[in-house]
């Protein structure tokens, strides 16, 4: 089939996205709002959150069955909510509660045909069904486009995506792994097919379509960058945007070298209860206009680490309050030179259900440091099949030595301690999730969300 045919299909899909984002949703209004609010004082931001929170409580009390029921049980009235401190009057919501009964969290005021439904795949089988309204879509689009401005990009800049978007089967059969979506000025690239044999096609497409930015999974962009640098290729871009997986510092360095620009990372999730974006200074900022993020201490993680609990301020269809998303953040108490009064995090450690759980019950995240100083490593994944056994699966080039493997195991030992057998397993590739992501850690040991939190606010 012709490249033209592939592009037409992808372009039609693009028109649909553009129509929803730019024509139906109120993104322009939010664009103006977010461009001002980023310079608000701490007091103004707090005031905004308090007002939005009070309105949210009034709405859920009237229209959301779960919250109405919970507030009646706890004898809480909307008038009892006066400030953010009163968040503690509301119960935490667990993923499983929404999974079992999504309808309880859906506003009775929502008009189902205009809602957007999405599912998370999850690891426990039953997917989680979530709903968003147009307001949420517009807000999020405006928020992402604001981060693009932080990265020095303009609205019409051509960019490429490498994040699990599927290309038509016919194009894959024709060994075409990139397709131009003219409606959105975007090159869609398959994140499933980057290899020593195909990476030149990716580079060729990036050049041919004059792409100036890449947006995708760090593991996919890193794979492309590593193949390029191996052949001495550098393709300058304006910026790289990464999301959906933990950005490993070593990978960031290689990506920045191959594309001669900086990496901007962003963190979000299907439940839309928190957004964390890096700014021009590389700080991880919680976006306070999007949601209220509580960093809650847990018995399972060490000092300085907190579980992210979020209250969405911009989704009237399915408002989630004090939702435990199951991610851990590392805090950093410092102001950022960019001048925004947004809270700063040291980083997102990752999904808690992707962490290792030691035999004495400790959760250990942020294990990407074990690869530091190791050469010839392409991809890696830590796998814990049982509580006292951890396997590091690696894809490495021929020059990877036993010494390199020992360095990895030594560093892992320092983090996990005694009582766990550690092994290295060389594999030809790391299996990706159905969405094309690489999970940096997979643990078969019980999900940690069952553990109680220490504090309730
Ligand atoms: Zn900043």
């Amino acid at each position: 089939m012709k490249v033209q045919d592939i592009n037409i299909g992808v372009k039609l899909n693009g028109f649909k996205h553009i129509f929803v984002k730019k024509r139906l949703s109120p993104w322009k209004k939010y664009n103006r709002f977010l461009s001002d609010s980023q310079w608000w004082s701490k007091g103004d931001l707090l005031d905004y959150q308090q007002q939005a929170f009070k309105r949210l409580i009034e709405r859920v009390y009237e229209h959301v069955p779960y919250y109405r029921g919970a507030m009646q049980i706890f004898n809480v009235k909307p008038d009892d909510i006066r400030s953010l401190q009163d968040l503690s009057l509301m119960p935490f919501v667990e993923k499983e509660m929404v999974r079992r009964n999504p309808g309880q969290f859906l506003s009775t005021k929502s008009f189902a045909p205009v809602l957007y439904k999405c599912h998370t795949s999850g690891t426990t089988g039953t997917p989680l069904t979530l709903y968003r309204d147009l307001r949420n879509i517009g807000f999020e689009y405006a928020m992402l486009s604001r981060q693009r401005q932080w990265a020095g990009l303009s609205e019409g800049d051509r960019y490429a995506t490498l994040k699990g978007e599927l290309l038509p089967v016919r194009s894959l059969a024709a060994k075409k792994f990139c397709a131009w979506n003219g409606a959105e000025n975007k090159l869609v690239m398959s994140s499933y097919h980057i290899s020593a044999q195909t990476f030149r096609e990716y580079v060729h497409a990036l050049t041919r379509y004059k792409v100036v930015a890449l947006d995708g999974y760090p593991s996919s962009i890193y794979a492309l960058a590593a193949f390029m640098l191996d052949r001495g290729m550098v393709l300058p871009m304006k910026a790289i945007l990464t999301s959906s997986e933990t950005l490993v510092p070593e990978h960031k360095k290689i990506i920045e070298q191959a594309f001669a620009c900086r990496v901007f990372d962003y963190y979000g999730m299907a439940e839309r209860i928190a957004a964390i974006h890096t700014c021009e200074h590389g700080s991880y900022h919680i976006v306070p206009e999007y949601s209220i993020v509580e960093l809650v201490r847990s018995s399972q993680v060490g000092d300085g680490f907190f579980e992210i609990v979020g209250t969405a301020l911009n989704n009237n269809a399915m408002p989630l309050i004090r939702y435990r998303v199951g991610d851990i953040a590392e805090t950093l108490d410092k102001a950022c030179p960019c001048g925004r009064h947004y809270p700063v995090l040291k980083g997102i450690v990752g999904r808690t259900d992707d962490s290792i759980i030691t035999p004495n019950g400790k959760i250990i995240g942020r294990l990407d440091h074990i690869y530091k100083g190791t050469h010839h490593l392409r991809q890696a994944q830590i796998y814990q099949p049982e509580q006292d056994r951890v396997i590091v699966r690696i894809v490495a080039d021929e020059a990877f030595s036993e010494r390199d493997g020992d360095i990895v195991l030594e560093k892992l030992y320092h983090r996990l301690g005694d009582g766990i057998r550690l092994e290295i397993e060389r594999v030809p590739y790391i299996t990706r999730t159905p969405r094309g992501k690489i999970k940096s850690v997979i643990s078969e040991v019980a999900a940690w969300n069952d553990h109680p939190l220490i504090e309730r606010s």
Side-chain angles (χ1 to χ4, degrees):
M1 74 184 294
K2 289 181 192 163
V3 174
Q4 230 72 11
D5 300 338
I6 302 166
N7 290 352
I8 287 169
V10 173
K11 188 174 179 177
L12 286 175
N13 215 10
F15 275 128
K16 201 172 83 189
H17 285 152
I18 285 287
F19 184 69
V20 172
K21 280 180 191 166
K22 291 199 169 178
R23 294 275 178 266
L24 295 181
S25 88
W27 79 282
K28 271 190 185 163
K29 182 179 103 180
Y30 290 127
N31 251 353
R32 287 191 293 273
F33 168 75
L34 288 170
S35 121
D36 286 347
S37 63
Q38 63 182 319
W39 305 117
W40 285 356
S41 66
K42 258 187 192 170
D44 287 346
L45 288 167
L46 184 68
D47 200 40
Y48 163 83
Q49 284 195 324
Q50 282 187 167
Q51 296 307 324
F53 179 51
K54 277 199 252 184
R55 285 195 302 273
L56 172 68
I57 292 295
E58 281 162 20
R59 275 198 309 272
V60 300
Y61 186 75
E62 287 298 320
H63 306 296
V64 181
Y66 172 79
Y67 290 111
R68 188 176 178 83
M71 288 171 75
Q72 281 171 346
I73 290 168
F74 292 112
N75 198 22
V76 178
K77 295 273 182 310
D79 284 348
D80 298 331
I81 304 292
R82 294 183 195 91
S83 73
L84 291 190
Q85 310 301 323
D86 298 325
L87 257 173
S88 58
L89 297 175
M90 300 296 286
F92 286 116
V93 168
E94 312 279 341
K95 195 171 279 200
E96 198 47 36
M97 293 154 72
V98 184
R99 193 194 304 278
R100 259 191 257 126
N101 207 342
Q104 282 287 302
F105 292 86
L106 202 56
S107 167
T108 52
K109 227 182 155 196
S110 294
F111 180 50
V114 296
L115 295 183
Y116 290 84
K117 196 173 170 181
C118 66
H119 303 283
T120 60
S121 49
T123 49
T124 52
T126 324
L128 182 63
T129 307
L130 300 153
Y131 296 87
R132 308 168 67 194
D133 55 15
L134 275 171
R135 182 169 177 258
N136 183 266
I137 289 174
F139 197 96
E140 190 163 295
Y141 188 55
M143 196 174 61
L144 291 172
S145 89
R146 182 175 71 176
Q147 198 201 18
R148 284 172 188 231
Q149 286 169 23
W150 295 357
L153 300 171
S154 313
E155 192 54 39
D157 275 345
R158 291 165 165 244
Y159 69 106
T161 55
L162 252 179
K163 49 198 234 181
E165 281 178 83
L166 296 175
L167 288 170
V169 176
R170 287 190 309 153
S171 74
L172 299 179
K175 303 225 176 298
K176 299 287 174 204
F177 305 120
C178 306
W180 178 246
N181 167 354
E184 294 180 279
N185 259 350
K186 150 175 128 170
L187 182 68
V188 181
M189 306 200 294
S190 167
S191 45
Y192 305 86
H193 297 93
I194 302 165
S195 68
Q197 287 74 42
T198 62
F199 83 95
R200 285 176 201 279
E201 184 197 328
Y202 288 75
V203 177
H204 176 71
L206 289 169
T207 315
R208 180 182 166 198
Y209 290 103
K210 300 185 175 62
V211 166
V212 297
L214 264 171
D215 181 350
Y217 301 148
S219 66
S220 303
I221 301 179
Y222 164 75
L224 181 59
F227 282 124
M228 286 167 57
L229 286 185
D230 272 358
R231 273 73 174 181
M233 295 163 78
V234 171
L235 186 61
M237 298 260 162
K238 281 190 182 176
I240 305 293
L241 294 123
T242 53
S243 59
S244 308
E245 298 170 344
T246 307
L247 174 64
V248 182
E250 294 293 294
H251 289 187
K252 185 178 175 212
K253 217 191 304 171
I254 297 292
I255 294 171
E256 290 185 333
Q257 275 174 23
F259 298 104
C261 66
R262 292 170 55 202
V263 174
F264 290 75
D265 195 28
Y266 63 94
Y267 159 89
M269 73 299 293
E271 294 94 330
R272 267 101 184 161
I273 53 90
I276 294 160
H277 290 190
T278 57
C279 70
E280 307 87 332
H281 290 267
S283 304
Y284 279 89
H285 283 297
I286 297 175
V287 179
E289 301 96 321
Y290 188 63
S291 67
I292 301 164
V293 171
E294 294 172 87
L295 297 171
V296 184
R297 283 210 307 130
S298 154
S299 57
Q300 299 296 307
V301 291
D303 288 345
F305 294 93
F306 296 85
E307 185 181 334
I308 294 175
V309 174
T311 296
L313 296 174
N314 289 287
N315 187 12
N316 289 350
M318 194 182 206
L320 295 175
I321 297 173
R322 304 199 92 196
Y323 182 84
R324 293 178 68 183
V325 71
D327 282 355
I328 293 288
E330 192 175 2
T331 52
L332 182 69
D333 192 17
K334 72 156 199 177
C336 180
C338 74
R340 295 177 188 93
H341 296 285
Y342 290 174
V344 179
L345 295 179
K346 196 166 178 188
I348 313 296
V349 178
R351 301 271 153 174
T352 46
D353 53 4
D354 290 347
S355 303
I356 296 295
I357 303 177
T358 64
N360 59 12
K362 274 275 172 209
I363 291 192
I364 312 287
R366 193 135 217 183
L367 288 163
D368 48 86
H369 297 298
I370 65 167
Y371 307 118
K372 209 170 178 176
T374 316
H375 304 287
H376 317 295
L377 207 61
R378 291 281 178 215
Q379 287 172 342
Q381 182 177 62
I382 298 170
Y383 177 59
Q384 183 179 27
E386 50 218 320
Q387 202 133 30
D388 62 351
R389 187 168 169 227
V390 169
I391 301 167
V392 185
R393 295 167 170 159
I394 56 160
V395 181
D397 61 34
E398 280 163 15
F400 185 88
S401 66
E402 210 170 299
R403 174 76 193 128
D404 288 319
D406 288 345
I407 293 174
V408 171
L409 291 182
E410 226 169 83
K411 288 185 177 165
L412 194 57
Y413 173 77
H414 283 303
R415 282 158 180 83
L416 301 184
D418 286 324
I420 300 185
R421 284 172 291 148
L422 305 176
E423 300 161 33
I424 290 256
E425 183 188 357
R426 288 189 71 158
V427 293
Y429 58 88
I430 305 280
T431 308
R432 291 179 179 268
T433 67
R435 291 280 295 157
K437 291 185 211 173
I438 286 186
K439 295 186 82 168
S440 55
V441 180
I442 295 178
S443 175
E444 306 283 2
V445 180
W448 94 298
N449 252 10
D450 303 337
H451 302 296
L453 297 174
I454 288 178
E455 293 173 348
R456 291 188 61 84
S457 63

